[in-house]
Amino acid sequence: MKVKKTAKTTIKKKNLKDKKGKKKSEEPVVKVLNLNVNPENPRNGFFELDWNPEFVNMLKQSGYEGASEDEIVDRWFQTLCKTIGNEQGIDVTGSGYVQINRRDDGKTEVS
């Protein structure tokens, strides 16, 4: 499984104001931009995610750590996948390891 942060940010970074003119804080946002599955081996594929800084700050406040935003989001995504597997009764403890590849274009591949 691969997780990639897109180079193009699709989330608006403007300081929004509500109807009363007060500054409105941005909510933490993460979006799935793309999901690709290998047709020859459907167990392999990748998600392309985009997120805003508020999402990363929320993860940090929840105890996620990393050297970069990509690493923090990768760790959250791995936890999320394990949680979903556990809820479905899938034993993920012996499922192998996760390989993280940081690409020169700023994207991260997780497999």
Side-chain angles (χ1 to χ4, degrees):
M1 178 112 16
K2 300 176 185 175
V3 179
K4 296 195 279 184
K5 167 73 170 157
T6 60
K8 179 181 175 187
T9 302
T10 58
I11 300 171
K12 295 179 181 177
K13 305 283 185 189
K14 296 179 181 177
N15 288 328
L16 302 175
K17 294 185 178 184
D18 65 14
K19 293 180 182 179
K20 296 180 182 178
K22 294 180 182 177
K23 190 174 179 180
K24 188 176 178 182
S25 64
E26 278 196 61
E27 295 292 321
V29 176
V30 62
K31 293 181 181 183
V32 176
L33 299 179
N34 197 5
L35 165 63
N36 288 313
V37 176
N38 182 342
E40 295 174 11
N41 185 354
R43 294 182 66 167
N44 294 327
F46 68 88
F47 289 87
E48 188 172 4
L49 303 177
D50 195 12
W51 57 84
N52 64 1
E54 290 78 9
F55 181 72
V56 176
N57 287 335
M58 179 191 71
L59 295 178
K60 287 178 180 178
Q61 291 173 0
S62 297
Y64 288 94
E65 297 177 348
S68 67
E69 284 188 358
D70 289 346
E71 191 173 311
I72 293 167
V73 175
D74 286 344
R75 290 180 177 173
W76 163 78
F77 191 75
Q78 291 173 33
T79 302
L80 177 66
C81 291
K82 288 176 186 175
T83 301
I84 292 170
N86 286 333
E87 288 177 354
Q88 297 298 314
I90 299 168
D91 180 14
V92 295
T93 56
S95 60
Y97 66 96
V98 176
Q99 180 176 344
I100 299 173
N101 296 318
R102 309 236 186 278
R103 298 178 11 177
D104 293 334
D105 61 3
K107 296 180 180 179
T108 303
E109 295 179 349
V110 179
S111 57

